[in-house]
Amino acid sequence: QQLTLFPLISMSYGCIFTARRIQISYDDLLQQLNGDINSDQLYLQNQLHTTLSGLKALLTTEVGNGMERARRACGGHGFSSSSNIPHLINVFIGSLTFEGTFDVLVQQHTSSLLKRLHKPVNVRTRDQSMDLFGFLNVDPHETCIASSPSLLLEPPVLLRAFQVRALKTLLQSSHHRTSLHFQSRASMGHAESVLLQCFYDGVLEITDKPLQAVMFQLWQLYALWRMNEHLGEFRMDNYLNAQQASWVQESMLGMLAKIRPNAIPLVDGFGITDFELNSAIGRYDGDIYRALIERAAKEPLNKTDVVE
Ligand SMILES: Cc1cc2nc3c(=O)[nH]c(=O)nc-3n(C[C@H](O)[C@H](O)[C@H](O)COP(=O)(O)OP(=O)(O)OC[C@H]3O[C@@H](n4cnc5c(N)ncnc54)[C@H](O)[C@@H]3O)c2cc1C
């Protein structure tokens, strides 16, 4: 259950930090647009637009899949309408289709990345904007420098690993130009690298040190979870060697025990009210069974005894 739910909590916080970070870049770009658009601004606009296409494809897919995994983690109650989970899934799931489906968005995203790979543009980003295409400048032949499990968890090591993986998957897509599979993998590689960077930037900005420490653990869990899911891409050309790869899974599982004491406050931190959630099993007071009986009693079929 912890391996099902804790990565979803970490991804949710990652989404919040990423949305904030991208909004800052977007607002910064808007401020610059007070007349004719120059080529630098056009480039930054393209960076944002294409990256957001990939992030939309990544996050709607992962959240949709995550909601279903969370539903199954609740057993039969997750299927019951008293949990409200089926309704919440139904409300969300349309977002995988509207504003662009996965297969269409990843093509848009990757073809733009390939254009920049083959035709680099030298634009200096302002302080407020991120260099969303910075991964194009890493060395695809380098290997991971971590010499112990704890060094693998260091932010520069994890961030670098995701950048190299993004470039490697993009190079693969370049070699298989017509393959939607490789386009998807390149798009996801870049989107996850951007999300990890935005999430990390957000954690650095937290001024409350104990809270920052907890969020940092969530950040590490997110990175290890994604690495473990796509370990083959991080093992390409032995970027992670066999020993480093084994540390990924061990560290990810070890992280669950560290997060466990804070799991409930982390979920409460989303600030979703009982009224919004409307779930008999997700109540703030935890009084699940009384709430289930009350809901069942309200069903029209239960107004009379079965034997009557
Ligand atoms: C809840 C909801 C709300 C909506 N709200 C609005 C709205 O307010 N306004 C509005 O205008 N529209 C709205 N839509 C429509 C929505 O934008 C379209 O359904 C969506 O863009 C997908 O287009 P389509 O239905 O024509 O599917 P298609 O484009 O026919 O896609 C069908 C399948 O083929 C795949 N596919 C399509 N093209 C390619 C390609 N080139 N390569 C590989 N695979 C491909 C897709 O990924 C998909 O899996 C809404 C849809 C939903 C579900």
Side-chain angles (χ1 to χ4, degrees):
Q1 296 281 28
Q2 293 182 15
L3 189 52
T4 301
L5 298 176
F6 294 178
L8 298 178
I9 298 172
S10 72
M11 180 173 66
S12 304
Y13 276 102
C15 290
I16 293 169
F17 287 121
T18 303
R20 285 184 190 163
R21 190 69 192 82
I22 295 283
Q23 184 73 46
I24 290 170
S25 293
Y26 177 71
D27 291 342
D28 187 50
L29 180 67
L30 276 190
Q31 274 191 354
Q32 297 176 48
L33 299 181
N34 52 3
D36 292 339
I37 299 180
N38 63 36
S39 59
D40 282 9
Q41 289 159 350
L42 210 55
Y43 173 75
L44 293 175
Q45 202 178 346
N46 170 252
Q47 263 200 358
L48 261 184
H49 177 245
T50 195
T51 304
L52 282 168
S53 303
L55 280 170
K56 196 269 181 182
L58 169 70
L59 293 174
T60 50
T61 303
E62 287 302 328
V63 172
N65 292 345
M67 289 179 98
E68 172 57 13
R69 284 202 298 276
R71 187 195 69 74
R72 274 182 273 152
C74 297
H77 288 320
F79 185 77
S80 156
S81 55
S82 295
S83 72
N84 204 29
I85 296 177
H87 171 72
L88 294 172
I89 292 179
N90 204 25
V91 168
F92 175 79
I93 214 73
S95 69
L96 275 84
T97 302
F98 60 69
E99 311 287 344
T101 56
F102 182 94
D103 287 346
V104 173
L105 290 170
V106 295
Q107 290 180 57
Q108 189 173 308
H109 183 198
T110 302
S111 61
S112 188
L113 293 177
L114 285 173
K115 205 157 107 188
R116 286 297 153 238
L117 176 73
H118 296 301
K119 204 171 157 203
V121 176
N122 198 8
V123 171
R124 250 169 33 93
T125 47
R126 300 198 327 171
D127 288 350
Q128 293 296 307
S129 330
M130 289 176 70
D131 185 4
L132 296 165
F133 289 178
F135 78 106
L136 294 172
N137 303 319
V138 299
D139 176 6
H141 305 295
E142 69 181 52
T143 51
C144 178
I145 57 167
S147 53
S148 69
S150 61
L151 288 176
L152 184 68
L153 296 179
E154 288 293 318
V157 175
L158 288 173
L159 290 167
R160 189 70 170 187
F162 275 76
Q163 287 191 326
V164 174
R165 176 264 198 139
L167 183 55
K168 280 175 182 288
T169 49
L170 186 62
L171 290 169
Q172 272 195 319
S173 178
S174 178
H175 293 137
H176 303 88
R177 280 309 263 266
T178 55
S179 165
L180 182 55
H181 169 73
F182 286 110
Q183 285 173 336
S184 308
R185 296 314 312 147
S187 169
M188 294 302 95
H190 180 232
E192 285 186 345
S193 172
V194 169
L195 195 145
L196 196 68
Q197 182 69 58
C198 293
F199 192 171
Y200 183 61
D201 291 347
V203 173
L204 286 187
E205 281 174 11
I206 298 171
T207 49
D208 180 322
K209 290 296 165 196
L211 178 61
Q212 188 185 49
V214 173
M215 284 297 170
F216 182 59
Q217 288 172 346
L218 274 188
W219 178 81
Q220 288 175 317
L221 176 66
Y222 177 78
L224 293 167
W225 172 54
R226 299 320 295 167
M227 269 184 154
N228 193 55
E229 288 282 304
H230 297 289
L231 201 53
E233 290 173 357
F234 291 90
R235 290 276 283 126
M236 269 196 282
D237 307 319
N238 225 25
Y239 176 79
L240 287 186
N241 62 35
Q243 190 181 36
Q244 290 165 330
S246 72
W247 296 339
V248 172
Q249 187 167 304
E250 284 165 24
S251 303
M252 178 184 72
L253 296 174
M255 202 57 74
L256 300 178
K258 291 184 188 167
I259 289 170
R260 172 66 190 89
N262 298 310
I264 292 174
L266 281 167
V267 173
D268 288 344
F270 294 130
I272 300 169
T273 63
D274 279 351
F275 176 77
E276 289 169 299
L277 206 55
N278 193 23
S279 171
I281 67 169
R283 298 159 57 96
Y284 185 77
D285 64 8
D287 196 3
I288 298 171
Y289 297 103
R290 201 186 316 271
L292 281 170
I293 296 287
E294 277 172 15
R295 287 224 185 190
K298 282 184 193 156
E299 279 292 315
L301 273 176
N302 292 331
K303 287 283 175 244
T304 53
D305 253 339
V306 177
V307 286
E308 278 179 25

